[in-house]
Amino acid sequence: MPAQIDHAEAASIVYDALVVGSGVSGAIVARSLAERGLRVLVVEAGPGEELSVADYETYLTRFYGAAAKDNNAAYEVNPNAPMPRSPDVRRLQPGHPDSTGYLIQNGPYEMDSTYTRVLGGTTMHWEGKALRMLPEDFQMRSRFGQGRDWPIGYDDLEPYYRKAEFELGVSADVADQTFYGITFPPDYEFPMHGLPKSYLDQLVARDLDGTEIRLEDTTCTLSVRPTAQARNGVPNPAYDGGKGYVPVGAVSTHQVDEGGRCQGNINCVPLCPVQAKYNARKTLAASLQTGRVDILTQTIASRVHVGEDGQISHIDYQAYGSTTSPEHVTGSLRARMYVLAANPVENARLMLASGLPGSNGLVGRNLMDHAYLLTWALMPEIAGTMRGSQCTSGIEDLRAGEFRRRHAAMRVSIHNDGWAWPTGSPYTDLIALVDDANAYGAAVRRGLVDRISRQLMLSFMVELMPEPSNRITVDGRYIDALGNLRPVLSYSLPEYTMDGVAAARRVSRRIFQRLGAEDRTSYDPLDTGYVGHQGEGYIIRGGNHWAGTHIMGESSHDSVVDVHQRSWDHPNLYLVGPGSMPSIGTSNTTLTLAAMSFMTAEHIATELTTRPTVTIGG
Amino acid sequence: MADDNDVLAAFLTLSATLTGYSQFRLLGTGQAEPYLATTRGAVGDDVLDQLLTTSAAVHDKAADNEEALDRGLRAGILSDDKLGPVARNVIKMWFVGTWYQLPQEWRDAHATREPDVTHVVSPASYTEGLLWPTIGANPPGAKGQGYGTWASPPLIDVP
Ligand SMILES: Cc1cc2nc3c(=O)[nH]c(=O)nc-3n(C[C@H](O)[C@H](O)[C@H](O)COP(=O)(O)OP(=O)(O)OC[C@H]3O[C@@H](n4cnc5c(N)ncnc54)[C@H](O)[C@@H]3O)c2cc1C
Ligand code: SF4
């Protein structure tokens, strides 16, 4: 149970490590350090009184009862530790920042990505795609003259990818996931077998597999492949040299039998009702088993203090008793090592609010996210849309190749949840049938099947390179209920990405033509996210894959952290998570950041166990 | 209407015609009473009474003639300024468990009542929505059909 310790007691202990944020990054670091015998305190800004199923049921009931089912609908509004919510995003007027939501939108592009500030962080409502990056993604500058190279390569990260696949409980088959340079050690098996392709995937694959598409000079041969997913499938008895794998079910301080296999609830975002999907509470619960981890929820790290020696001396916190009142107490926490794992936006916000922009001014800069282009069509036959997990398959063949010199690469997901994301289906279809088509009775039933069960939606996840001008800042005019500075976002979509978006739209037309599907894609210029590019307009959605802001590099001149995610400026400070990534390729970020967290935890443990205790001033 | 049971019976008769599902199926969702109460709360006793009385008359007159029922329903209810929007709301409520706020035009002309706001009637009404079984799916977040079922063609029963 997180609340075994109170703030006064925690403040009296000098921990080996203080971890800010209980998301997947922080949870993995905490668990790994504790398993190596180190004492860890985790502070979490959001609520989550117990790691309990009861908590979980409350989220679920709130979701069922919410009229607007946006991706944070399951989580209560909390002015003390607010989070961005997509319905708050407004169309921006040039030069007029919008402060409707928690995130101040400076523009020019209005971004609808979100994250979640509750115990367990954003994995409470992530979708659970668990993809490795391609080897070439780590070498964007040297291979394609774009963006930045990582200071490490795929091979360096590979062993940690395996640890991450264990921790997150990934279901996939090696044969399906071996493409475009991705390699596995001989005899490697994923913890669980891949999830079956949906009926919709199979219909798409039947006609699409083998289709050739040209991107610049690269010929890409399309095939529909199952997607690696962090949700429970059928355990693979061959895992770990034949030892097998035991799936992690629901977490609770009182174990109950939930959290079985994925049942196809199609609700991974915002919340998996049976906890088949990984969330960081699973790792937190395991970390508590060591007896060396304390967790304080409703506790916001509010300021990072630096001593004269350049080391972090302590971190101030604010602890609130209720999400409905700003009343709170304050104090300071101390540790030998400090780990900020609050996500890219909040890590940058906290550093900047503490007056720590970095000696090179790079904290908060090089913010990245994937640009999502959604395209949708009606299949010529009933495809059984709205069943399975949100996506079971995708197209990986537009992710790699020489065309990346000219424009961004892209990854395609086939959506089992139909047009939900772009049009609000099935609700909007029902309303249109009843209010506009004047259908009732059997005609409504037939109409619903005709309009919904044939839906095909392809999302194109387009990569974006780090640009210093895409950034998080703070501004004294904007504060939250506890007086903390709110993040201000300045963001635009670079030409390289928009050229990729244009290519994605062309590819989608080809695919629909091949399938004989009726293209119903349209982009309303008055909608948020509308971007014009070379005479065409598109709606770009945020990818929820916040990255950058404390980018990793080889030198202190052009990066914020080193290869261990250690701050160049403050040797006992680590900024961990997707914020350290120098590029994001076309992989959803979490498996990679989980791998990086394992790598960093190993490094921190070595530092702490082989070096003498740092003496802390003040 | 005479007593509560008669009102509920009339509401079910109308609902079955509007949704294309049998009264038996509708009762099975456990939502008939909450939906009747929600409709009453949003539009008031008079409008509800008028809707159900008109419906009863249309059904009686049509007897078992489907074409006559269709014509009567469109003429007497669906194209009626006052009753049409309410009937359409009842359809939507059965399919997704949400009461949608009536059009402003209706509110100006007839009544602006506090419960007439867009809301999910209850968490159970969301999971009992008829839309999901209609398309051979489950309500997102509830009643998962089981591991791997998504790989087979959907079970859809269209009338
Ligand atoms: C809708 C959606 C779908 C997604 N789907 C996928 C997917 O399919 N695949 C994938 O790879 N990724 C996906 N992602 C991205 C993924 O969720 C994130 O990359 C990942 O959760 C980041 O983990 P983190 O630990 O770095 O940050 P978070 O999970 O955001 O955790 C940070 C934690 O720090 C806490 N915190 C913040 N500020 C403070 C403070 N000042 N003091 C104390 N605590 C603080 C927060 O409350 C939070 O709990 C998705 C994201 C969203 C929103
Ligand atoms: S499809 Fe459903 S059961 Fe499966 S992981 Fe997603 S929410 Fe959970």
Side-chain angles (χ1 to χ4, degrees):
Chain A
M1 223 178 288
Q4 284 158 333
I5 189 163
D6 62 25
H7 289 83
E9 197 185 339
S12 71
I13 299 172
V14 178
Y15 285 88
D16 290 314
L18 167 59
V19 175
V20 174
S22 68
V24 52
S25 312
I28 288 178
V29 170
R31 179 181 183 180
S32 306
L33 294 180
E35 283 176 349
R36 289 177 171 82
L38 298 160
R39 188 92 203 267
V40 184
L41 174 65
V42 178
V43 294
E44 168 51 52
E49 273 157 33
E50 278 191 81
L51 294 166
S52 73
V53 171
D55 234 15
Y56 211 80
E57 301 277 307
T58 316
Y59 294 144
L60 203 57
T61 309
R62 190 177 294 119
F63 169 76
Y64 289 159
K69 292 192 168 39
D70 66 285
N71 65 24
N72 268 333
Y75 307 101
E76 69 175 318
V77 171
N78 176 7
N80 295 339
M83 57 181 105
R85 290 169 188 263
S86 47
D88 289 339
V89 178
R90 300 282 179 277
R91 190 95 182 101
L92 291 178
Q93 301 302 317
H96 294 276
D98 185 273
S99 58
T100 313
Y102 167 57
L103 201 61
I104 314 298
Q105 303 260 358
N106 234 346
Y109 169 72
E110 59 268 356
M111 155 89 106
D112 67 354
S113 286
T114 63
Y115 51 84
T116 308
R117 287 173 93 188
V118 296
L119 186 67
T122 310
T123 51
M124 291 302 287
H125 87 176
W126 74 318
E127 194 194 321
K129 287 184 187 133
L131 306 174
R132 294 183 176 205
M133 284 173 61
L134 305 180
E136 66 183 51
D137 295 335
F138 294 84
Q139 306 168 312
M140 288 307 294
R141 173 61 49 186
S142 44
R143 287 281 310 269
F144 306 112
Q146 297 289 342
R148 289 167 171 243
D149 284 354
W150 285 54
I152 50 171
Y154 177 84
D155 291 339
D156 300 309
L157 212 53
E158 202 286 328
Y160 300 98
Y161 269 137
R162 278 181 269 145
K163 283 182 192 281
E165 281 158 355
F166 172 80
E167 186 68 35
L168 273 55
V170 176
S171 295
D173 292 306
V174 167
D176 295 329
Q177 306 303 327
T178 307
F179 47 72
Y180 301 105
I182 290 185
T183 51
F184 302 90
D187 304 332
Y188 181 67
E189 299 284 350
F190 282 89
M192 289 166 282
H193 288 298
L195 286 106
K197 282 179 182 168
S198 69
Y199 181 66
L200 172 66
D201 297 336
Q202 297 167 40
L203 290 187
V204 173
R206 189 184 64 197
D207 283 348
L208 201 63
D209 280 359
T211 300
E212 290 189 347
I213 299 253
R214 273 180 88 78
L215 294 177
E216 302 291 329
D217 292 333
T218 314
T219 302
C220 311
T221 308
L222 305 189
S223 71
V224 172
R225 278 179 228 255
T227 305
Q229 321 234 13
R231 73 189 82 255
N232 291 341
V234 177
N236 187 340
Y239 182 69
D240 198 8
K243 293 200 197 97
Y245 175 86
V246 181
V248 184
V251 295
S252 168
T253 29
H254 343 271
Q255 274 298 334
V256 292
D257 187 25
E258 286 189 41
R261 280 176 203 167
C262 169
Q263 305 174 346
N265 275 302
I266 207 157
N267 202 56
C268 319
V269 178
L271 191 70
C272 172
V274 295
Q275 301 202 39
K277 185 189 69 173
Y278 171 82
N279 66 64
R281 290 190 186 183
K282 296 189 180 191
T283 300
L284 292 172
S287 77
L288 292 177
Q289 302 286 311
T290 64
R292 283 185 287 275
V293 174
D294 294 325
I295 304 178
L296 291 173
T297 55
Q298 305 194 177
T299 304
I300 297 156
S302 55
R303 197 175 177 91
V304 178
H305 292 271
V306 180
E308 280 173 11
D309 54 358
Q311 304 262 1
I312 304 306
S313 56
H314 59 282
I315 288 185
D316 291 341
Y317 71 84
Q318 301 165 317
Y320 57 93
S322 151
T323 55
T324 53
S325 152
E327 247 175 82
H328 65 277
V329 296
T330 59
S332 309
L333 299 166
R334 288 183 167 71
R336 295 165 67 196
M337 296 288 190
Y338 296 86
V339 179
L340 302 190
N343 87 32
V345 177
E346 294 296 330
N347 271 355
R349 191 204 66 73
L350 177 57
M351 290 295 283
L352 295 170
S354 305
L356 301 171
S359 49
N360 52 21
L362 284 181
V363 171
R365 293 186 183 272
N366 295 304
L367 180 80
M368 289 172 276
D369 185 12
H370 288 117
Y372 265 74
L373 183 76
L374 312 183
T375 65
W376 56 103
L378 278 179
M379 292 286 280
E381 64 194 286
I382 287 178
T385 314
M386 293 297 293
R387 297 175 315 139
S389 63
Q390 251 128 355
C391 304
T392 34
S393 299
I395 298 169
E396 317 291 340
D397 310 290
L398 308 163
R399 298 175 60 184
E402 284 307 306
F403 71 86
R404 297 178 86 179
R405 294 189 165 279
R406 307 285 290 281
H407 68 69
M410 61 203 77
R411 181 182 180 280
V412 183
S413 282
I414 300 167
H415 280 251
N416 291 326
D417 55 350
W419 303 354
W421 194 0
T423 73
S425 174
Y427 297 92
T428 46
D429 290 303
L430 173 71
I431 292 170
L433 261 172
V434 174
D435 289 354
D436 303 330
N438 292 315
Y440 73 90
V444 176
R445 291 175 58 183
R446 283 192 299 270
L448 288 171
V449 172
D450 187 54
R451 286 173 186 228
I452 299 165
S453 300
R454 294 195 293 135
Q455 290 180 358
L456 168 65
M457 203 276 275
L458 302 177
S459 69
F460 287 75
M461 184 168 93
V462 184
E463 73 180 323
L464 188 132
M465 292 300 138
E467 304 266 350
S469 57
N470 281 341
R471 64 189 293 207
I472 296 292
T473 54
V474 290
D475 178 331
R477 284 176 296 173
Y478 305 114
I479 53 170
D480 69 16
L482 296 196
N484 289 309
L485 294 168
R486 285 159 58 186
V488 179
L489 170 73
S490 305
Y491 198 69
S492 66
L493 297 166
E495 191 81 3
Y496 181 77
T497 297
M498 287 311 298
D499 287 344
V501 165
R505 182 68 184 106
R506 287 194 296 275
V507 172
S508 72
R509 289 203 166 95
R510 282 285 311 282
I511 293 178
F512 295 152
Q513 288 157 1
R514 185 73 188 76
L515 297 174
E518 182 187 341
D519 195 338
R520 297 287 294 272
T521 310
S522 71
Y523 305 118
D524 180 352
L526 296 177
D527 218 347
T528 55
Y530 187 86
V531 185
H533 179 66
Q534 296 182 347
E536 289 247 19
Y538 310 91
I539 301 242
I540 309 294
R541 296 270 166 245
N544 298 307
H545 299 154
W546 303 96
T549 76
H550 46 83
I551 215 157
M552 167 195 289
E554 256 163 19
S555 115
S556 59
H557 303 300
D558 65 356
S559 58
V560 177
V561 298
D562 69 10
V563 64
H564 303 297
Q565 307 195 73
R566 181 207 288 251
S567 153
W568 289 112
D569 291 339
H570 314 288
N572 65 341
L573 175 67
Y574 293 77
L575 296 128
V576 310
S580 301
M581 295 171 71
S583 71
I584 52 177
T586 47
S587 295
N588 311 46
T589 44
T590 307
L591 192 76
T592 302
L593 70 89
M596 290 161 67
S597 296
F598 277 111
M599 201 173 180
T600 291
E602 213 171 82
H603 167 82
I604 296 176
T606 312
E607 289 286 295
L608 282 174
T609 46
T610 56
R611 288 199 178 184
T613 310
V614 190
T615 329
I616 300 161
Chain B
M1 295 265 155
D3 66 36
D4 285 355
N5 281 340
D6 292 348
V7 177
L8 187 63
F11 183 69
L12 274 167
T13 305
L14 173 64
S15 293
T17 305
L18 289 176
T19 60
Y21 278 100
S22 70
Q23 295 192 31
F24 180 72
R25 179 72 180 80
L26 297 181
L27 273 172
T29 65
Q31 299 305 306
E33 279 164 356
Y35 289 168
L36 175 61
T38 301
T39 311
R40 179 182 279 127
V43 304
D45 282 320
D46 291 350
V47 176
L48 177 67
D49 190 56
Q50 205 179 326
L51 175 69
L52 297 182
T53 314
T54 313
S55 160
V58 169
H59 280 89
D60 280 350
K61 190 157 171 240
D64 281 337
N65 184 330
E66 279 187 29
E67 213 172 297
L69 180 61
D70 176 47
R71 239 176 296 120
L73 209 66
R74 281 189 280 119
I77 295 180
L78 294 171
S79 65
D80 183 84
D81 267 0
K82 191 194 286 181
L83 304 183
V86 181
R88 282 185 281 279
N89 260 15
V90 170
I91 304 179
K92 288 177 275 186
M93 189 159 53
W94 277 109
F95 277 93
V96 291
T98 300
W99 175 268
Y100 289 92
Q101 188 174 69
L102 286 157
Q104 192 55 43
E105 213 184 348
W106 192 99
R107 291 159 60 85
D108 290 343
H110 306 293
T112 306
R113 299 172 66 92
E114 209 188 317
D116 178 29
V117 287
T118 300
H119 67 285
V120 179
V121 173
S122 74
S125 72
Y126 165 72
T127 58
E128 290 302 326
L130 295 172
L131 183 142
W132 317 107
T134 301
I135 59 171
N138 57 288
K143 301 186 179 183
Q145 299 187 336
Y147 180 81
T149 46
W150 54 83
S152 318
L155 293 172
I156 290 175
D157 170 27
V158 267

